[in-house]
Every structure is written in structure tokens, then in C-alpha cells.
């Protein structure tokens, strides 16, 4: 069997992130827009970012999905890599439990993470990034 013959569908954990699809207006200590869309096939969720934070323009793209290296089984965690216009790359782990979205910077259970909550009608996500040593910022995403 080749990588092209693997019948494994996208995981339920990844498909749960469908709630993010669409365009969102970001307000709070980061401002701008983010847009989520599925790559054809449904195995990767793409995020397009255009934000201003601390006076800096942040533009980039994130690819979110389950890892499946060639010839290996699908990984359990939903992971991502973010690429920005300054040449930086950042890795994350996504976890959605009920209405609570957690995004771990680097590895799962990292001391740097985002935790936000979807509203009952899925039109807002309100939360904050927490950084080790006491940093971070708050933001609200509102469906455009």
C-alpha cells in the first residue's frame, strides 16, 4: 500500500475544528482578520492571518491537521505549523473539548497556550494567550 492508498479518513478531533471555518474579525489586544478553510480532501485546515499586535503587522498562514508521515499511521494529536511574513515558523497542538479551544505552543501541555470558548451560537470565540512568566494577551474572534 502506498501513501495514496491509505483509506484512513480525517480524525474526529480534526473535523471538530470545522467550527472555525469562515472569516473572523479579531478584536482586543490583537486586531485584524483570520480566515479558516479546508484544503481539498478535508485532511488539513488552513488559517490565513492578517493581524496587528503590539504595533506589529503579522501576516501568515497555518496548516492544521493530524501528522501522517509517509508509511506511518495517523498521529493522534491535531498539530499545526504557522508561517509568517518575517520567515518565522511556529508549531502548535490544537485541542477542542466541548466549547473550549486550547492551542498549545510547541508541545501539548506547554506553559504557553491559548484558551478560548465558543459562544453558544458559534459566532464568537473569546480567550487569551498565556505565556510563561506572566505574559500574554486577550482577544475575541467574531464571525464576519
Amino acid at each position: 500500500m502506498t501513501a495514496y492508498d491509505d483509506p484512513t479518513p480525517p480524525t474526529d478531533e480534526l473535523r471538530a475544528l470545522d467550527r472555525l471555518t469562515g472569516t473572523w474579525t479579531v478584536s482586543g489586544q490583537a486586531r485584524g482578520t483570520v480566515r479558516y478553510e479546508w484544503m481539498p480532501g478535508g485532511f488539513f485546515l488552513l488559517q490565513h492571518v492578517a493581524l496587528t499586535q503590539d504595533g506589529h503587522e503579522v501576516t501568515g498562514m497555518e496548516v492544521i491537521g493530524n501528522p501522517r508521515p509517509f508509511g506511518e499511521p495517523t498521529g493522534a494529536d491535531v498539530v499545526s505549523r504557522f508561517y509568517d511574513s518575517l520567515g518565522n515558523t511556529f508549531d502548535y497542538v490544537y485541542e477542542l473539548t466541548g466549547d473550549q479551544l486550547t492551542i498549545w505552543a510547541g508541545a501539548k501541555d506547554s506553559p504557553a497556550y491559548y484558551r478560548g470558548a465558543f459562544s453558544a451560537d458559534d459566532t464568537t470565540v473569546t480567550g487569551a494567550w498565556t505565556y510563561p512568566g506572566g505574559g500574554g494577551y486577550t482577544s475575541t474572534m467574531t464571525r464576519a
Side-chain angles (χ1 to χ4, degrees):
M1 177 163 55
T2 70
Y4 299 105
D5 298 323
D6 188 344
T8 305
T11 66
D12 291 342
E13 292 79 9
L14 176 61
R15 294 302 304 165
L17 296 179
D18 191 58
R19 295 170 79 177
L20 290 169
T21 58
T23 301
W24 300 80
T25 301
V26 180
S27 59
Q29 293 172 295
R31 304 179 85 58
T33 60
V34 296
R35 180 173 49 89
Y36 293 87
E37 64 180 338
W38 288 106
M39 188 172 141
F43 287 94
F44 297 99
L45 184 62
L46 307 177
Q47 179 186 198
H48 305 272
V49 174
L51 297 173
T52 301
Q53 182 183 356
D54 296 327
H56 301 292
E57 299 291 322
V58 178
T59 59
M61 186 185 95
E62 184 176 20
V63 179
I64 306 163
N66 294 96
R68 187 168 65 180
F70 185 77
E72 295 183 25
T74 301
D77 288 335
V78 176
V79 301
S80 74
R81 175 155 289 172
F82 179 81
Y83 304 88
D84 75 15
S85 56
L86 300 175
N88 296 305
T89 60
F90 301 101
D91 295 329
Y92 299 99
V93 177
Y94 277 68
E95 188 174 63
L96 180 60
T97 305
D99 290 334
Q100 183 173 286
L101 174 64
T102 303
I103 305 170
W104 306 99
K108 196 171 187 175
D109 297 323
S110 163
Y113 61 90
Y114 170 85
R115 186 157 292 135
F118 281 88
S119 62
D121 61 1
D122 281 353
T123 59
T124 61
V125 180
T126 303
W129 275 98
T130 300
Y131 301 141
Y137 66 92
T138 61
S139 67
T140 298
M141 295 193 320
T142 304
R143 197 175 291 280

